[in-house]
Amino acid sequence: IFRETLSKRGVWVITGLGKYFRRIDKNRNGFLSQAALKEALKIFHLEIPEGDFESLWLILDDSKSDKVDYGEFTHAIFGEMNEYRKAFVRKVSLYKTRFQQTVPMADVRKCYCAE
């Protein structure tokens, strides 16, 4: 149900969550506490029943460290990238490595359409 809610809300929620997680990650370790995740979901109007949240947390925090890796969270919720998207990421990574540190948005638009 949670995954369906996110997919209906679209890429803006995913992007917004990513920006929010990076902003609150003060020590830049890539991990979220249970309270931080709960607050983020509330801010983005993705509230889920407490029992469902506890189940989600148990799945995400399989190491019982009381923190969740943001990358693992996105992978668990959104799943694996399809081959087209993986190929695109590889192209961008190669471009960035060979030529410069950033990729102009105009170049991204030439190769990828998010519709």
Side-chain angles (χ1 to χ4, degrees):
I1 294 173
F2 185 67
R3 185 179 282 187
E4 290 171 11
T5 302
L6 279 175
S7 66
K8 289 177 187 173
R9 300 283 301 280
V11 71
W12 295 113
V13 171
I14 297 166
T15 304
L17 275 171
K19 287 178 183 177
Y20 178 79
F21 289 151
R22 285 188 295 278
R23 192 174 72 233
I24 65 169
D25 186 10
K26 301 297 183 201
N27 58 5
R28 303 280 186 238
N29 66 3
F31 289 97
L32 301 167
S33 68
Q34 187 174 10
L37 178 58
K38 192 178 284 189
E39 181 67 18
L41 296 177
K42 185 176 181 180
I43 288 171
F44 284 86
H45 306 286
L46 296 168
E47 296 177 67
I48 57 176
E50 187 63 32
D52 291 345
F53 180 83
E54 293 300 324
S55 297
L56 175 66
W57 184 260
L58 288 173
I59 292 167
L60 294 173
D61 184 27
D62 59 351
S63 65
K64 308 294 183 243
S65 61
D66 289 329
K67 57 187 176 183
V68 170
D69 179 282
Y70 171 64
E72 290 178 12
F73 168 77
T74 55
H75 184 263
I77 300 303
F78 307 112
E80 230 11 84
M81 283 194 288
N82 63 34
E83 285 306 314
Y84 175 77
R85 289 179 62 211
K86 285 181 186 178
F88 177 74
V89 169
R90 285 190 290 274
K91 285 179 189 176
V92 169
S93 297
L94 177 64
Y95 180 90
K96 183 177 172 183
T97 303
R98 293 175 97 193
F99 303 106
Q100 59 194 41
Q101 291 301 308
T102 61
V103 179
M105 187 53 71
D107 291 350
V108 173
R109 286 187 183 114
K110 290 177 191 173
C111 301
Y112 184 73
C113 176
E115 293 177 1

